[in-house]
Amino acid sequence: MDIQWPLLVFGVLAGLSMGCLGFVCAFILAGKAESLRMPGVVIALAAIAAGGLASAFHLGNPDRILYILGNLQSGITQELLATAVAGVLIVALCIALVKKASPAVLKTLAVLGLIAAIALPFITGEAYVQGARPAWNTLFLPIMYVGAAFAMGALTMTVLSRIKHVDDADRTLIGRASFVAAIMCTVTVVLYVSAVALAPYPDPSRSIDRLLSGDLALLFWGAAVALGLIVPLALTAMQAFGKQPQAKGGTAVLSRPSVLFVGLVCLVAGSVAIRSIMYLLGSSVQSFIY
């Protein structure tokens, strides 16, 4: 199957948005990192707006949205509705932060936002799960979408924590959460790739050999694994726990915002790569029927 770039871009940006939203909501519920809440919400809003715009190109004609909404059992319909709900929650949370709403209102929105932050990437991935495409027919696919979302959100918050004034204790906590999220992202990718390897109806078009040593090996090992998993894991581990080389002035090199931002770019690139592979492995079982 060809790569569906509008949907791929939407999935990555929606994941980034929900990851940021999830961590902002967690900050509110835990009473942490107040200075990161508004920047995190703004990034979440910008990312989901850009993702929604990208997905519109997949429809070709915006009028088709009306036809999509007529079938609530459709995965794309559920995805669209979940995106709309998440967008409303982000806007509501942004207004509540600007207006300095009461703690009760903020915590209510935070709980709802945290639910949306998990639900939207899961629904986005689950929309692809179907028996006709063995490489997609696994719940590890939407779980991988959730793992990527929280890894991107965590690393974004880590970058912001190095730019904004944040207490040392909060900064350390965010850094370690970013490392844990990177581990979770890695585990979900391994689980999804394992599911592809064990999928029924084996066929050369969706063989695991394409990833390990075939035509997709460079994309898999170079982009998805090296850039998307190893680099973020190494950076988050070093800045969270390990000794780091010191630059002039005593600044830890790997904790610089610019270095961590490179790690975030690598993570996003890896997410694009593994989703591209997902599309390229998404051949149908029609050949067994016809």
Side-chain angles (χ1 to χ4, degrees), residues 162-185:
R162 268 55 182 179
I163 297 173
K164 305 286 290 183
H165 175 69
V166 179
D167 292 341
D168 289 341
D170 288 350
R171 182 175 294 183
T172 299
L173 182 62
I174 293 167
R176 291 181 178 179
S178 184
F179 175 60
V180 172
I183 292 176
M184 292 174 60
C185 179

Side-chain angles (χ1 to χ4, degrees), residues 135-136 138 140-141 144 188-196 274 278:
W136 295 359
T138 170
F140 289 133
L141 178 56
M144 183 179 72
T188 61
V189 170
V190 171
L191 289 173
Y192 172 66
V193 172
S194 300
V196 171
I274 194 66
M278 180 204 81

